[in-house]
Amino acid sequence: QLHLQESGPGLVKSSETLSLTCPVSGDSFISGTYYGALIRRPPGKGLEWIGSVYHSGTTYYNPSLRSRVSISVDTSKNQFSLKLTSLTATDTAVYYCVGHRLVVPIAVDFWGPGTLVTVSS
Amino acid sequence: QSALTQPPSASGSLGQSVTISCTGTSRDVGGYNYVSWYQQHPGKAPKLMIYEVTKRPSGVPDRFSGSKSANTASLTVSGLQAEDEAEYHCSSYGGSNNVIFGGGTNLTVL
């Protein structure tokens, strides 16, 4: 079992960097049973995978976002974190921290409640 | 890769069945048996309902079933109940360690 919770700012400015942290309850992330990942949903659009991280620090990113994304892990705090640079209004979305078994989120078993991030000019 | 194509809306009467489609290409839906379906109620996080095209996680009613033909996957909800009214999202492995989603379908139970 995994419980995830998003932690980050609700409002960020255009061209700045979004930093979002995903604390994880349960040892299935540290033990390597699950990958951590971030998925977002812009208003009026479908879901979009941002990237995934293994407890070892190995990362996988959506090719369309790879140039702006960095996901890191802090095993001492049982959490992983997202940095998304050069923000624009199109990055406005509900961001979800999630847990999944395989290398990429082919099937996402656990979802955080989500947090709305608004990019303002 | 482009998003998978879902109809924006679908509807069915209580007790009836409804099928939602999810169309991709041979590079994603048609190329792998890694299609998933999620149910999302307003203001809530998505919930996994179907994975690997046809499999149901523990606790998901057997009224929910999945299938695939060529580049189109489908989710069928039988014996519609009021609580099935939600948005449904499909996803597929797209090769090269990538996953893509559909635009979502709003299901209305009449």
Side-chain angles (χ1 to χ4, degrees), chain A residues 41 47 96 106-108 111-112, chain B residues 36 38 40 45-46 87 89 97 101:
Chain A
R41 186 175 190 191
L47 297 165
Y96 296 97
I106 292 169
V108 178
W111 297 73
Chain B
S36 294
Y38 300 88
Q40 185 174 26
E87 188 165 18
H89 307 272
N97 288 335
F101 288 87

Side-chain angles (χ1 to χ4, degrees), chain B residues 15-33:
Chain B
Q16 298 301 306
S17 296
V18 66
T19 297
I20 299 170
S21 63
C22 172
T23 301
T25 70
S26 59
R27 296 184 300 276
D28 36 69
V29 174
Y32 308 93
N33 287 322

Side-chain angles (χ1 to χ4, degrees), chain B residues 3-83:
Chain B
L4 306 175
T5 301
Q6 295 182 239
S9 62
S11 63
S13 301
L14 277 170
Q16 298 301 306
S17 296
V18 66
T19 297
I20 299 170
S21 63
C22 172
T23 301
T25 70
S26 59
R27 296 184 300 276
D28 36 69
V29 174
Y32 308 93
N33 287 322
Y34 286 127
V35 175
S36 294
W37 290 91
Y38 300 88
Q39 177 191 66
Q40 185 174 26
H41 288 107
K44 302 292 187 181
K47 173 188 175 183
L48 181 65
M49 304 300 283
I50 297 288
Y51 66 101
E52 293 178 15
V53 180
T54 61
K55 298 178 181 179
R56 278 188 311 276
S58 174
V60 173
D62 59 6
R63 303 185 293 103
F64 291 85
S65 62
S67 62
K68 190 184 81 168
S69 176
N71 298 335
T72 297
S74 298
L75 172 72
T76 297
V77 186
S78 305
L80 276 170
Q81 300 183 4
E83 59 264 33

Side-chain angles (χ1 to χ4, degrees), chain A residues 28-95:
Chain A
S28 297
F29 175 60
I30 289 181
S31 67
T33 303
Y34 287 94
Y35 287 74
L38 288 116
I39 290 173
R40 69 182 183 180
R41 186 175 190 191
K45 296 188 177 182
L47 297 165
E48 181 180 36
W49 172 60
I50 299 171
S52 299
V53 64
Y54 197 49
H55 71 104
S56 63
T58 301
T59 53
Y60 303 87
Y61 298 131
N62 184 323
S64 67
L65 295 170
R66 181 174 289 132
S67 64
R68 299 195 294 128
V69 173
S70 174
I71 299 177
S72 59
V73 63
D74 186 340
T75 53
S76 67
K77 295 182 180 179
N78 202 17
Q79 66 183 32
F80 55 96
S81 300
L82 165 73
K83 287 194 186 299
L84 181 63
T85 64
S86 305
L87 294 172
T88 69
T90 59
D91 293 309
T92 293
V94 175
Y95 285 74

